[in-house]
Amino acid sequence: MAAAEPKPPAGAATARRLARSCWSAFWDYETPKVIVVKNRRLGVVYRLVQLLILLYFVWYVFIVQKSYQDRETGPESSVITKVKGITSSEHKVWDVEEYVKPPEGGSVFSIITRMEVTPSQTVGTCPESVRVTNATCGSDEDCVAGHLDMLGNGVRTGRCVPYYHGAFKTCEVSGWCPVEDGASVSQFLGKMAPNFTILIKNSIHYPKFQFSKGNIENQENGYLKRCTFDEVSHLYCPIFKLGFIVEQAGENFTELAHWGGVIGVIITWDCDLDLPASKCNPKYSFRRLDPKHIPASSGYNFRFAKYYKVNGSTTRTLIKAYGIRIDVIVHGQAGKFSLIPTIINLATALTSIGVGSFLCDWILLTFMNKNKVYSHKKFDKPEPSRAPWPRSWDPQALPTHLNVSKLETGHPCDWAVG
């Protein structure tokens, strides 16, 4: 008699059945079932949600944002500036070569409006500035020879000497003398500064669309010599008066000229290239860039020196300059119709309309009185048809050593044979 085959473990059989079930479910197809619900309130909610989604895509996405266009931001840009005008102080007349720094005419430049001048500085010894920490002294013992203060004006000699004015004393230093605070003279250059004219020549290029344009269009000879900027009548005459720029930035010119500050001239090129090139125009705006409400960091100043020889020795004039720094900032974006973003946004719009159906299904199955009835109608899982038993087939005719179950109904593949 043949030996009985060992039965597989129960866990392995369960795992195989689960795997077959998952594999079978993977190939199932689900299709939405349409149920017409005669409920006016639910219908109003459904149509209202669809209308809102449609308005959002039509008005905001396609009209306001112009999402049917391909876009490029940050144009390639060049800026050339030129300042003209003269002014005077208590001591002399100043021209462009003296009050504009740097003179190259770039996108960032400064117009000096006030100076503190320390003339005839030479290398020697002199009292330290009283503004330097621990510079005041009562005797030589308070001054350490060779000490170098990084915020001071030189190396201390170890002597305590009288200050330039007043009854107090400070430590003597070796450096450029006299120091700035001891002999500086203030000169105000802002008397005529509001009438200075500034030419800002700007050209931009959008490489993706091969589009270029500049802010000067009039080809008439001498046009720029007799015009100043006006947003309506002279948009393409980029010659601005300094007083106009400060006024448009909302600042007081006298205060700004005294302490200095940074003004931004922002040129915006937003171009719809589906329209003619004449519709792509620059827009100018002006605002102060430095934090004027923070006393510790407001204002703008810098130092420079002019060197020369006197009797063979090197001498310099130290200048602490306060001024109005102009930063020309160019930005913008260009857009042109493209089929790809149009198709993407149309598909998104059509898909989003389905949100109305999802919302109404949730209301229907959660809050309606007959939600269980709707749930049975909504989700239906039909059983697959099975082939009937052949009438001529008799399971009793099987060999007696086979144990056949599920003899009433089912498919032969469902038999359990042991």
Side-chain angles (χ1 to χ4, degrees):
M1 184 175 181
E5 295 182 1
K7 294 183 178 181
T14 303
R16 285 197 297 271
R17 285 196 298 270
L18 180 62
R20 284 196 298 266
S21 177
C22 293
W23 179 251
S24 177
F26 177 77
W27 301 105
D28 289 347
Y29 169 70
E30 296 179 0
T31 181
K33 184 177 182 180
V34 178
I35 300 176
V36 179
V37 180
K38 298 293 186 180
N39 187 296
R40 186 173 296 275
R41 292 181 181 178
L42 193 61
V44 169
V45 172
Y46 178 59
R47 297 304 179 190
L48 184 60
V49 171
Q50 283 187 325
L51 179 62
L52 290 176
I53 294 173
L54 190 63
L55 288 176
Y56 168 77
F57 277 94
V58 172
W59 177 74
Y60 182 75
V61 175
F62 285 98
I63 296 178
V64 177
Q65 295 294 323
K66 296 182 180 179
S67 298
Y68 56 86
Q69 292 182 332
D70 189 12
R71 292 193 170 275
E72 182 179 10
T73 58
E76 298 173 353
S77 172
S78 69
V79 175
I80 300 174
T81 58
K82 183 182 293 185
V83 182
K84 288 186 176 182
I86 60 171
T87 188
S88 63
S89 64
E90 294 82 353
H91 302 88
K92 60 175 290 188
V93 175
W94 302 80
D95 60 9
V96 175
E97 288 73 16
E98 296 178 287
Y99 64 74
V100 175
K101 302 290 180 181
E104 289 83 4
S107 59
V108 178
F109 60 94
S110 301
I111 297 176
I112 299 173
T113 53
R114 186 169 72 91
M115 291 182 179
E116 292 181 358
V117 181
T118 306
S120 304
Q121 281 190 325
T122 57
V123 177
T125 58
C126 57
E128 176 63 286
S129 171
V130 71
R131 297 183 182 180
V132 177
T133 304
N134 298 324
T136 57
C137 59
S139 63
D140 292 347
E141 287 76 13
D142 298 327
C143 303
V144 179
H147 176 70
L148 177 63
D149 193 320
M150 297 304 298
L151 300 179
N153 294 280
V155 181
R156 295 185 182 182
T157 63
R159 297 177 57 204
C160 184
V161 296
Y163 197 56
Y164 301 94
H165 48 78
F168 51 89
K169 296 180 179 180
T170 60
C171 294
E172 186 182 57
V173 294
S174 175
W176 286 97
C177 295
V179 297
E180 185 178 44
D181 296 336
S184 63
V185 178
S186 181
Q187 299 185 34
F188 185 69
L189 287 66
K191 182 179 180 181
M192 301 298 295
N195 294 319
F196 292 168
T197 59
I198 305 172
L199 169 66
I200 303 176
K201 185 163 60 174
N202 174 227
S203 60
I204 56 101
H205 177 67
Y206 287 103
K208 179 183 286 188
F209 306 113
Q210 293 300 307
F211 177 82
S212 300
K213 196 170 184 180
N215 64 345
I216 299 176
E217 281 193 340
N218 198 308
Q219 301 295 326
E220 182 182 348
N221 188 26
Y223 169 71
L224 294 179
K225 294 182 179 180
R226 59 178 185 272
C227 73
T228 54
F229 174 80
D230 184 89
E231 191 173 3
V232 177
S233 58
H234 295 292
L235 179 62
Y236 282 89
C237 175
I239 297 179
F240 305 86
K241 288 188 175 182
L242 181 59
F244 171 81
I245 293 176
V246 174
E247 179 185 357
Q248 292 297 308
E251 299 297 323
N252 179 276
F253 191 90
T254 302
E255 180 181 350
L256 189 67
H258 186 79
W259 296 109
V262 182
I263 301 294
V265 179
I266 297 96
I267 308 176
T268 305
W269 293 87
D270 288 337
C271 301
D272 185 351
L273 301 184
D274 293 326
L275 302 176
S278 60
K279 300 296 183 181
C280 176
N281 298 312
K283 293 182 180 179
Y284 298 90
S285 57
F286 312 88
R287 67 183 184 91
R288 186 166 180 175
L289 300 180
D290 64 302
K292 67 175 181 178
H293 299 298
I294 303 176
S297 61
S298 64
Y300 173 71
N301 63 78
F302 59 96
R303 290 175 174 83
F304 63 97
K306 296 180 179 180
Y307 294 85
Y308 50 93
K309 292 281 188 179
V310 175
N311 298 326
S313 63
T314 301
T315 307
R316 77 176 188 181
T317 297
L318 177 65
I319 300 173
K320 182 180 181 180
Y322 295 82
I324 301 173
R325 196 180 92 172
I326 304 295
D327 288 13
V328 182
I329 304 169
V330 182
H331 60 77
Q333 60 180 349
K336 194 173 185 179
F337 174 79
S338 177
L339 190 59
I340 293 177
T342 303
I343 293 175
I344 292 174
N345 284 283
L346 279 175
T348 305
L350 295 175
T351 305
S352 299
I353 292 177
V355 173
S357 300
F358 176 81
L359 177 63
C360 291
D361 282 349
W362 178 69
I363 295 173
L364 180 69
L365 300 175
T366 307
F367 300 105
M368 303 295 287
N369 293 332
K370 299 180 180 180
N371 55 350
K372 291 185 178 180
V373 176
Y374 294 136
S375 179
H376 287 303
K377 295 289 186 180
K378 177 71 176 175
F379 303 103
D380 191 7
K381 185 177 180 181
E383 291 294 333
S385 60
R386 297 183 180 272
W389 285 89
R391 293 186 179 181
S392 60
W393 189 81
D394 183 7
Q396 300 298 330
L398 289 173
T400 57
H401 69 276
L402 294 179
N403 180 19
V404 181
S405 61
K406 298 185 180 180
L407 300 179
E408 292 86 0
T409 60
H411 192 274
C413 292
D414 295 329
W415 299 344
V417 181

